[in-house]
Amino acid sequence: MEKTVVILGGELAPEGRSLLEEAGASVIATAPYIDRRAVIETMKAHRPDAVIVRLLADLLGSEEMQAGGRLRHIAKHGVGTNDIDVKAATALGIPVSMTTGSNGHSVAEHALALIMALVKDLPRQDALIRDGIWDKNQYKGRELRGQRLGLVGFGFIGQTLAKMAGAVGMTVSAFDPHAPDSAFGDEVGRETDLDTLLANSDIVSLHCPLTPETQDLIDARRIGLMKQGAFLINTARGEVVDEKALVAALEDGHLAGAGLDSFAVEPPGIDNPLFQLSNILVTPHVAGVTLDAKRAVSIMSAENVLAALDGVTLHPRFLAR
């Protein structure tokens, strides 16, 4: 019997689509950022056995999951499942898979790139030169060597970034109440109190999932604990940071800068106050979608779907709960 797979929110890399088609699946891809009404219409029209979730405007909820009548698997194209109602899927007996580890190296590299660009004062120097200003006295760059990097979340991405940062001479500490002691080793200090980590770090980089506990985790109080002149990097989820508090801290100079790959609302409006600031560097949630990572994520998404539809039980690290 032919399988039908719908990709919600954009196309897979060709290698991922080919895997599905070579296995005999009929593959349909929607446009990015479709809303729940469009999702329901798509589900009713194509009645998929599985969906791969990329970029949605709304939460994939129970009604959408049941609209087609025969959904058996949901695969997230990535690892952040905040756009999927996992509890609803579990109640319906529909497993939700993730592409754990497939794009982690790309995200870690992106975080390091944001750190380097900000600490080296590159965005401002670029803007000055474009305005015809050649003034070396305005350069505010610093060395990474000797800087203290604080990681909030110490899964694969955090661990990969820690190795990269250590290689350029940074001192690294991490806060993650869920990580085993074995993840830290001798090179990364384990900090058991988030407030202490924030207060002692020159640069804070976020690598935690979005959960009820991490919503607005970095709020006005915690931003206030950070060092004067510190930097905040977010390649996790935008909702982890209170954006109004971040804007205030960047405007009054408490924070020297921020590198953001994600926002509380995506895509953000052009009137977002963050975009009026000169001490931020922003990217459109692309840390995990380098060409290399997109290929790997698409292939793993397709593999997860095919395995699940063939009755194979996926390893727990690939399943959302």
Side-chain angles (χ1 to χ4, degrees), residues 32-191:
Y33 293 111
I34 61 171
D35 61 22
R36 66 183 305 268
R37 180 176 297 179
V39 170
I40 290 173
E41 291 174 355
T42 300
M43 297 293 284
K44 288 180 176 178
H46 299 289
R47 303 187 67 232
D49 299 280
V51 295
I52 297 175
V53 177
R54 293 205 65 233
L55 302 169
L56 298 183
D58 298 312
L59 183 73
L60 182 70
S62 179
E63 184 179 354
E64 293 87 340
M65 295 173 192
Q66 296 179 83
R70 66 181 201 186
L71 185 64
R72 292 190 281 144
H73 189 77
I74 300 168
K76 174 61 184 179
H77 188 272
V79 294
T81 56
N82 52 293
D83 51 2
I84 301 168
D85 189 336
V86 176
K87 289 184 178 179
T90 301
L92 293 169
I94 303 171
V96 179
S97 64
M98 309 173 290
T99 58
T100 307
S102 57
N103 64 350
H105 204 279
S106 287
V107 177
E109 285 186 353
H110 196 93
L112 183 62
L114 291 173
I115 291 168
M116 286 187 165
L118 288 168
V119 173
K120 295 297 182 183
D121 197 29
L122 300 187
R124 197 171 66 92
Q125 294 305 311
D126 178 84
L128 287 171
I129 291 178
R130 291 174 186 273
D131 288 341
I133 300 170
W134 184 280
D135 183 1
K136 294 183 180 182
N137 290 323
Q138 293 198 41
Y139 181 52
K140 305 296 183 183
R142 296 186 60 188
E143 289 188 357
L144 289 176
R145 181 182 58 175
Q147 298 283 313
R148 183 173 291 277
L149 173 64
L151 303 174
V152 181
F154 201 57
F156 179 80
I157 296 170
Q159 292 170 35
T160 302
L161 177 58
K163 293 175 183 175
M164 295 176 179
V168 295
M170 301 183 76
T171 300
V172 185
S173 297
F175 169 82
D176 189 331
H178 306 293
D181 288 336
S182 59
F184 290 82
D186 298 328
E187 303 301 321
V188 179
R190 178 160 206 166
E191 181 52 69

